[in-house]
């Protein structure tokens, strides 16, 4: 099995399990709704099965999700948009095609400050834009330095932090969460 297929199976397993649990369904309940066996559903939730598109579509329909919701993989690396000298009057920094809940924050972080943030939940993403100053964003697996005009999108399912340097930083952040 390739690393990509392992990631996809793990994403499907987590997405199905999360959706089933948030709806208060047992595996038996889901099996009754979609017409597939409990054994198959259990294997899918453990990342052991290789379900067909038909099976995934049936599960998605039973959970009132889209096929994309079932197969969505989290962001493993940040998406960074750097400011350029030729920036137009308006530019799209980051976007999302999902229907989601969100919260927007404006923060003024003092010099030499570390702002620690707990995980925001399964499927959550954070978008940040540095208005002024500079900040270092850290997650256990990566670090990225952002300056005024830079933006980043990343999975905030894990702990993360923003550290400032010698100057204060004004930061806009938006946390986006699945609507289920």
């Amino acid at each position: 099995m390739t690393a990509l297929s392992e990631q996809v199976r793990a994403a499907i397993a987590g997405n199905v399990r999360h959706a089933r649990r948030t709806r208060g369904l047992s595996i038996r309940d889901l099996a009754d709704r979609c017409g597939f066996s409990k054994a198959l559903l259990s294997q899918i939730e453990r990342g052991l099965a290789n379900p067909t598109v038909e099976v995934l579509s049936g599960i998605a329909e039973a959970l009132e999700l889209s096929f994309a919701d079932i197969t969505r993989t989290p962001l493993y690396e940040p998406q960074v948009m750097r400011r350029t000298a030729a920036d137009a009057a308006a530019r799209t920094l980051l976007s999302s095609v999902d229907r989601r809940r969100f919260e927007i924050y404006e923060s003024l972080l003092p010099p030499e400050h570390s702002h620690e943030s707990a995980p925001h939940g399964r499927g959550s993403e954070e978008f940040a834009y540095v208005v002024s100053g500079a900040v270092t964003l850290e997650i256990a697996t990566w670090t990225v330095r952002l300056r005024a005009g830079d933006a980043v999108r990343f999975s905030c399912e894990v702990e993360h932090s923003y550290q400032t340097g010698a100057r204060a930083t004004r930061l806009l952040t938006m946390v986006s969460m699945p609507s289920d």
Side-chain angles (χ1 to χ4, degrees):
M1 185 176 353
T2 67
L4 178 58
S5 62
E6 281 185 39
Q7 285 179 350
V8 172
R9 281 188 190 182
I12 291 168
N15 294 336
V16 170
R17 186 175 44 255
H18 173 75
R20 178 181 60 76
R21 288 179 176 168
T22 59
R23 286 159 179 73
L25 299 173
S26 67
I27 289 183
R28 173 172 288 196
D29 295 332
L30 181 56
D32 291 343
R33 283 185 178 197
C34 68
F36 300 114
S37 71
K38 293 183 301 183
L40 175 61
L41 295 173
S42 176
Q43 288 178 337
I44 290 170
E45 285 194 7
R46 290 181 289 141
L48 302 175
N50 190 17
T52 65
V53 171
E54 182 177 314
V55 169
L56 291 175
S57 296
I59 294 169
E61 189 174 312
L63 292 171
E64 299 176 347
L65 297 172
S66 70
F67 185 82
D69 292 331
I70 291 288
T71 57
R72 174 191 60 79
T73 56
L75 290 169
Y76 290 102
E77 296 290 326
Q79 294 177 340
V80 179
M81 288 286 299
R82 298 286 181 198
R83 181 176 126 189
T84 64
D87 282 342
R91 66 181 172 138
T92 300
L93 293 173
L94 303 159
S95 65
S96 177
V97 296
D98 301 333
R99 292 185 351 194
R100 303 168 68 87
R101 298 179 295 124
F102 64 90
E103 299 170 351
I104 298 176
Y105 303 90
E106 179 181 20
S107 304
L108 181 58
L109 304 176
E112 306 298 335
H113 176 77
S114 180
H115 174 77
E116 308 291 328
S117 187
H120 295 292
R122 178 154 182 77
S124 60
E125 293 179 348
E126 189 159 326
F127 300 75
Y129 176 76
V130 181
V131 177
S132 63
V135 68
T136 299
L137 169 60
E138 285 189 22
I139 288 187
T141 57
W142 52 262
T143 300
V144 64
R145 178 91 172 140
L146 303 166
R147 296 184 314 254
D150 291 344
V152 64
R153 173 185 178 195
F154 63 96
S155 171
C156 57
E157 295 181 6
V158 296
E159 293 179 1
H160 52 285
S161 65
Y162 294 95
Q163 286 93 36
T164 60
R167 295 181 45 214
T169 299
R170 182 167 303 278
L171 186 66
L172 294 177
T173 56
M174 181 179 84
V175 177
S176 173
M177 299 147 286
S179 57
D180 64 358

